[in-house]
Amino acid sequence: MQILINGKPRSFEVTQFSVATLVETLDLVGKRLAIECNGEIVPRSQFESTLLIDGDKLEIVGAVGGG
Amino acid sequence: MSDSLKIADKTYQSRLLVGTGKYQDFTQTRAAIDASGAEIITVAIRRTNIGQNTGEPSLLDFLPPEEFTYLPNTAGCYSADDAVRTLRLARELLDGHKLVKLEVLGDPNTLYPNMIETLAAAKTLVKDGFDVMVYCSDDPIIAKQLEEIGCCAVMPLASLIGSGMGILNPWNLQIIIENAKIPVLVDAGVGTASDAAIAMELGCQGVLMNTAIAAARDPVLMAGAMKKAVEAGREAYLAGRMPKKLYSASPSSPTTGLIA
């Protein structure tokens, strides 16, 4: 399946997986981040239970320097 | 003397708020912020780098959210929807943190705020439970409307973001300050320490700056200068300046007892 992450398409060899698995796959465990799926925020408490499917659009954001 | 800044029911000893952008590296960011004495620091919300340098340090490693009050901003947003979306992500990112800096820009050259979109975003955010500190034009009517919407602080520009042009319209700022029941902070345009002092002498409750410190030749030294300027300006405001006398000089030394 293909998911759009931060504007870039990424392919995965499974048909469905959780946001928690994605975070692991992307080596982002322990990073402070927030995730939006198709315009809706996925609370951290729901990473395990939220399943991603082909065509989902994700935004993964963090805090950076700014004024 | 207890003279603390109160924003959304929380008190702060420092009236200088600083940004965390444009520094050479995180070590310099941290050193400058320490020198500034700031307790509230702004951060931007951006897409995380995926698949590259995942091990590299982040801003949060150098400025732990436990030590500072984070003020996530909406820099780069040009619509109310984008700004609201960004701050909802920020709230999730910072474990339900409610204090935010709203800015909706209208033009990439001037970074002048789009106040129509800003007002719309402010309404949504206040309804959604955010404590909104809002970057705005120095229009007294708009500032009042933002207060009526329920923003917890209005932050009119002194001059354009990153311009270092100083306070271009002290008279408007003064009208805003006189009319406001919520804190007024100057945000944007401060270039050097005297600008910050003037803002405070006008009666601002605080000053928010980034480039004036980060783009100084010695940012850490400038951060210390800004701390002093904000404190000096505040004390001068509280002390009440002497009246200006254009045409009547008044000697400080006795006029009697002069040698003949």
Coordinates of all heavy atoms in Angstrom, one line a residue, chain B residues 49-101:
Chain B
N49 N 11.6 15.5 9.7 CA 12.4 14.8 8.7 C 12.2 13.3 8.8 O 12.5 12.8 9.9 CB 13.9 15.2 8.8 CG 14.2 16.5 8.2 OD1 13.5 17.0 7.3 ND2 15.3 17.1 8.7
I50 N 11.8 12.7 7.7 CA 11.6 11.3 7.8 C 12.8 10.6 7.1 O 13.2 10.9 6.1 CB 10.3 10.9 7.0 CG1 9.1 11.7 7.5 CG2 10.1 9.4 7.1 CD1 8.6 11.3 8.9
G51 N 13.3 9.6 7.8 CA 14.3 8.7 7.2 C 15.7 9.3 7.1 O 16.6 8.7 6.5
Q52 N 15.9 10.5 7.6 CA 17.2 11.1 7.6 C 17.6 11.7 8.9 O 16.8 12.4 9.5 CB 17.4 12.1 6.5 CG 16.2 13.1 6.4 CD 16.3 14.0 5.2 OE1 17.4 14.3 4.7 NE2 15.2 14.6 4.8
N53 N 18.8 11.4 9.4 CA 19.4 12.0 10.6 C 18.4 11.8 11.8 O 18.2 12.8 12.6 CB 19.7 13.5 10.4 CG 20.5 13.8 9.2 OD1 21.4 13.0 8.8 ND2 20.2 14.8 8.5
T54 N 17.8 10.7 11.9 CA 16.8 10.5 13.0 C 17.5 10.6 14.4 O 16.8 10.9 15.4 CB 16.1 9.2 12.9 OG1 17.0 8.1 12.6 CG2 15.0 9.2 11.8
G55 N 18.8 10.4 14.4 CA 19.5 10.4 15.7 C 20.0 11.8 16.1 O 20.4 12.0 17.2
E56 N 19.9 12.8 15.2 CA 20.4 14.1 15.5 C 19.6 14.8 16.6 O 18.4 14.6 16.7 CB 20.6 14.9 14.2 CG 19.3 15.6 13.8 CD 19.6 16.4 12.5 OE1 20.7 16.3 11.9 OE2 18.7 17.2 12.2
P57 N 20.3 15.7 17.4 CA 19.6 16.3 18.5 C 18.5 17.2 18.0 O 18.6 17.8 16.9 CB 20.7 17.1 19.2 CG 21.8 17.3 18.2 CD 21.7 16.1 17.3
S58 N 17.5 17.5 18.8 CA 16.4 18.4 18.5 C 16.4 19.6 19.4 O 17.1 19.6 20.4 CB 15.1 17.7 18.5 OG 14.7 17.5 19.9
L59 N 15.7 20.6 19.0 CA 15.6 21.8 19.8 C 15.2 21.5 21.2 O 15.6 22.1 22.2 CB 14.5 22.7 19.1 CG 14.3 24.1 19.8 CD1 15.5 25.0 19.6 CD2 13.0 24.7 19.3
L60 N 14.3 20.5 21.3 CA 13.7 20.1 22.7 C 14.8 19.5 23.6 O 14.6 19.6 24.8 CB 12.5 19.2 22.5 CG 11.2 19.9 22.0 CD1 11.2 19.9 20.5 CD2 10.0 19.2 22.6
D61 N 15.8 18.9 23.0 CA 16.9 18.4 23.8 C 17.6 19.6 24.5 O 18.1 19.4 25.7 CB 17.9 17.6 23.0 CG 17.2 16.4 22.4 OD1 16.3 15.9 23.0 OD2 17.6 16.0 21.3
F62 N 17.7 20.7 23.8 CA 18.5 21.8 24.4 C 17.6 22.7 25.2 O 18.1 23.5 26.1 CB 19.1 22.6 23.3 CG 20.3 21.9 22.7 CD1 20.2 20.9 21.8 CD2 21.6 22.3 23.1 CE1 21.3 20.2 21.3 CE2 22.7 21.7 22.6 CZ 22.6 20.6 21.7
L63 N 16.3 22.7 24.9 CA 15.4 23.6 25.7 C 14.2 22.7 26.1 O 13.1 22.7 25.6 CB 14.9 24.7 24.7 CG 15.9 25.6 24.2 CD1 15.4 26.4 23.0 CD2 16.4 26.6 25.2
P64 N 14.4 22.0 27.2 CA 13.4 21.0 27.7 C 12.1 21.8 28.0 O 12.1 22.8 28.7 CB 14.0 20.4 28.9 CG 15.5 20.7 28.8 CD 15.6 21.9 28.1
P65 N 11.0 21.3 27.5 CA 9.7 21.9 27.8 C 9.4 22.0 29.3 O 8.5 22.8 29.7 CB 8.7 21.0 27.1 CG 9.4 20.3 26.1 CD 10.8 20.1 26.6
E66 N 10.1 21.2 30.1 CA 9.8 21.3 31.6 C 10.5 22.6 32.1 O 10.0 23.1 33.2 CB 10.5 20.1 32.3 CG 10.0 18.8 31.9 CD 10.6 18.3 30.6 OE1 11.9 18.5 30.4 OE2 9.9 17.7 29.7
E67 N 11.5 23.2 31.5 CA 12.2 24.3 32.0 C 11.6 25.6 31.5 O 11.8 26.7 32.1 CB 13.6 24.3 31.5 CG 14.6 23.6 32.4 CD 16.0 23.6 31.8 OE1 16.6 24.8 31.7 OE2 16.5 22.6 31.4
F68 N 10.9 25.6 30.3 CA 10.4 26.8 29.7 C 8.9 26.7 29.4 O 8.4 25.6 29.4 CB 11.1 27.1 28.4 CG 12.6 27.3 28.5 CD1 13.5 26.3 28.4 CD2 13.1 28.6 28.8 CE1 14.8 26.5 28.6 CE2 14.4 28.8 29.0 CZ 15.3 27.8 28.9
T69 N 8.2 27.8 29.3 CA 6.9 27.8 28.7 C 7.0 27.9 27.2 O 7.4 28.9 26.7 CB 6.0 28.9 29.3 OG1 5.9 28.7 30.7 CG2 4.6 28.9 28.7
Y70 N 6.6 26.9 26.5 CA 6.6 26.9 25.1 C 5.5 27.7 24.5 O 4.3 27.6 25.0 CB 6.6 25.5 24.5 CG 7.9 24.8 24.3 CD1 8.9 24.9 25.3 CD2 8.2 24.1 23.1 CE1 10.1 24.3 25.1 CE2 9.4 23.5 22.9 CZ 10.4 23.6 23.9 OH 11.6 23.1 23.7
L71 N 5.8 28.5 23.5 CA 4.7 29.2 22.8 C 4.8 28.8 21.4 O 5.5 29.5 20.6 CB 5.0 30.7 23.0 CG 3.9 31.7 22.6 CD1 2.6 31.5 23.3 CD2 4.4 33.1 22.7
P72 N 4.1 27.8 21.0 CA 4.1 27.4 19.6 C 3.4 28.4 18.7 O 2.4 29.0 19.1 CB 3.3 26.1 19.6 CG 2.5 26.1 20.8 CD 3.2 26.9 21.8
N73 N 4.0 28.7 17.6 CA 3.5 29.7 16.7 C 2.9 29.2 15.4 O 3.0 28.0 15.2 CB 4.6 30.8 16.4 CG 5.7 30.3 15.5 OD1 5.5 29.3 14.7 ND2 6.8 30.9 15.6
T74 N 2.3 30.1 14.6 CA 1.8 29.6 13.3 C 2.5 30.3 12.2 O 1.9 30.6 11.2 CB 0.2 29.9 13.3 OG1 0.0 31.3 13.4 CG2 -0.5 29.2 14.3
A75 N 3.8 30.6 12.4 CA 4.6 31.3 11.4 C 4.4 30.5 10.1 O 4.5 29.3 10.1 CB 6.0 31.3 11.8
G76 N 4.3 31.3 9.0 CA 4.2 30.6 7.7 C 2.7 30.3 7.3 O 2.5 29.9 6.2
C77 N 1.8 30.5 8.2 CA 0.4 30.2 7.8 C -0.2 31.5 7.2 O -0.1 32.6 7.7 CB -0.4 29.8 9.1 SG 0.0 28.2 9.7
Y78 N -1.0 31.2 6.1 CA -1.6 32.4 5.4 C -3.1 32.3 5.4 O -3.8 33.1 4.8 CB -1.1 32.4 3.9 CG 0.3 33.0 3.9 CD1 1.4 32.2 4.1 CD2 0.5 34.3 3.6 CE1 2.7 32.7 4.0 CE2 1.8 34.9 3.6 CZ 2.9 34.1 3.8 OH 4.1 34.6 3.7
S79 N -3.7 31.3 6.2 CA -5.1 31.2 6.3 C -5.5 30.8 7.7 O -4.7 30.2 8.4 CB -5.7 30.2 5.3 OG -5.4 28.9 5.7
A80 N -6.7 31.2 8.1 CA -7.2 30.8 9.4 C -7.2 29.3 9.6 O -6.7 28.8 10.7 CB -8.6 31.4 9.7
D81 N -7.6 28.6 8.6 CA -7.7 27.1 8.7 C -6.3 26.5 9.0 O -6.1 25.7 9.8 CB -8.2 26.5 7.4 CG -9.7 26.8 7.3 OD1 -10.3 27.2 8.3 OD2 -10.3 26.5 6.2
D82 N -5.3 27.0 8.2 CA -3.9 26.5 8.4 C -3.4 26.8 9.8 O -2.8 25.9 10.4 CB -3.0 27.0 7.4 CG -3.1 26.4 6.0 OD1 -3.8 25.3 6.0 OD2 -2.5 26.9 5.1
A83 N -3.7 28.0 10.3 CA -3.2 28.4 11.6 C -3.9 27.5 12.7 O -3.2 27.0 13.6 CB -3.5 29.8 11.9
V84 N -5.2 27.3 12.6 CA -5.9 26.5 13.6 C -5.4 25.1 13.6 O -5.1 24.5 14.6 CB -7.4 26.5 13.3 CG1 -8.1 25.5 14.2 CG2 -8.0 28.0 13.6
R85 N -5.2 24.5 12.4 CA -4.7 23.2 12.2 C -3.3 23.0 12.8 O -3.1 22.1 13.6 CB -4.6 22.9 10.7 CG -4.7 21.4 10.3 CD -4.7 21.3 8.8 NE -4.0 20.1 8.4 CZ -3.6 19.9 7.2 NH1 -3.7 20.9 6.2 NH2 -2.9 18.8 6.8
T86 N -2.5 24.0 12.6 CA -1.1 24.0 13.1 C -1.1 23.9 14.7 O -0.4 23.2 15.3 CB -0.3 25.2 12.6 OG1 -0.3 25.1 11.2 CG2 1.1 25.2 13.2
L87 N -2.0 24.8 15.2 CA -2.0 24.9 16.7 C -2.7 23.7 17.4 O -2.3 23.3 18.5 CB -2.6 26.2 17.1 CG -1.8 27.4 16.8 CD1 -2.5 28.7 17.2 CD2 -0.4 27.3 17.4
R88 N -3.6 23.0 16.7 CA -4.1 21.8 17.2 C -3.0 20.7 17.2 O -2.9 19.9 18.2 CB -5.3 21.3 16.4 CG -6.5 22.2 16.7 CD -7.8 21.8 15.9 NE -8.9 22.6 16.4 CZ -10.0 22.9 15.6 NH1 -10.0 22.5 14.3 NH2 -10.9 23.6 16.1
L89 N -2.2 20.7 16.2 CA -1.1 19.8 16.2 C -0.1 20.1 17.3 O 0.4 19.2 18.0 CB -0.4 19.8 14.8 CG -1.0 19.0 13.7 CD1 -0.5 19.4 12.3 CD2 -0.8 17.5 13.9
A90 N 0.1 21.4 17.5 CA 1.0 21.8 18.6 C 0.5 21.4 19.9 O 1.3 20.9 20.8 CB 1.2 23.3 18.5
R91 N -0.8 21.5 20.1 CA -1.4 21.1 21.4 C -1.2 19.6 21.6 O -0.8 19.2 22.7 CB -2.9 21.4 21.4 CG -3.6 21.1 22.7 CD -4.9 21.7 22.8 NE -5.8 21.3 21.7 CZ -7.1 21.7 21.5 NH1 -7.6 22.6 22.4 NH2 -7.8 21.3 20.5
E92 N -1.3 18.8 20.6 CA -1.1 17.4 20.7 C 0.4 17.1 21.0 O 0.8 16.3 21.8 CB -1.5 16.7 19.4 CG -1.2 15.2 19.3 CD -1.9 14.4 20.4 OE1 -2.9 14.8 21.0 OE2 -1.3 13.3 20.7
L93 N 1.2 17.8 20.2 CA 2.7 17.7 20.4 C 3.2 18.0 21.8 O 4.1 17.3 22.3 CB 3.4 18.6 19.4 CG 4.9 18.6 19.3 CD1 5.4 17.4 18.5 CD2 5.4 19.9 18.6
L94 N 2.6 19.0 22.4 CA 3.0 19.5 23.7 C 2.1 19.0 24.8 O 1.9 19.7 25.8 CB 3.2 21.0 23.7 CG 4.3 21.5 22.7 CD1 4.2 23.0 22.6 CD2 5.7 21.1 23.1
D95 N 1.5 17.9 24.7 CA 0.7 17.2 25.7 C -0.5 18.1 26.2 O -0.7 18.3 27.4 CB 1.6 16.8 26.9 CG 2.7 16.0 26.5 OD1 2.5 15.1 25.6 OD2 3.8 16.2 26.9
G96 N -1.2 18.7 25.3 CA -2.4 19.5 25.8 C -2.1 20.9 26.1 O -3.0 21.6 26.6
H97 N -0.9 21.4 25.9 CA -0.5 22.8 26.1 C -1.5 23.7 25.4 O -1.7 23.6 24.2 CB 0.9 22.9 25.6 CG 1.5 24.3 25.7 ND1 2.0 24.7 26.9 CD2 1.5 25.3 24.9 CE1 2.4 26.0 26.7 NE2 2.2 26.3 25.5
K98 N -1.9 24.8 26.2 CA -3.0 25.6 25.6 C -2.5 27.0 25.2 O -3.2 27.7 24.4 CB -4.1 25.9 26.7 CG -4.9 24.7 27.0 CD -6.2 25.0 27.8 CE -5.9 25.9 28.9 NZ -7.1 26.2 29.7
L99 N -1.3 27.5 25.7 CA -0.9 28.8 25.4 C -0.2 28.8 24.0 O 0.8 28.1 23.8 CB 0.1 29.3 26.5 CG 0.6 30.7 26.4 CD1 -0.6 31.7 26.7 CD2 1.7 31.0 27.3
V100 N -0.7 29.7 23.1 CA -0.2 29.7 21.7 C 0.0 31.1 21.2 O -0.6 32.0 21.7 CB -1.1 28.9 20.8 CG1 -1.2 27.4 21.2 CG2 -2.5 29.5 20.8
K101 N 0.8 31.2 20.2 CA 1.0 32.5 19.5 C 0.3 32.3 18.1 O 0.8 31.5 17.3 CB 2.4 32.9 19.4 CG 2.6 34.1 18.4 CD 4.1 34.5 18.3 CE 4.2 35.3 17.0 NZ 5.6 35.8 16.8

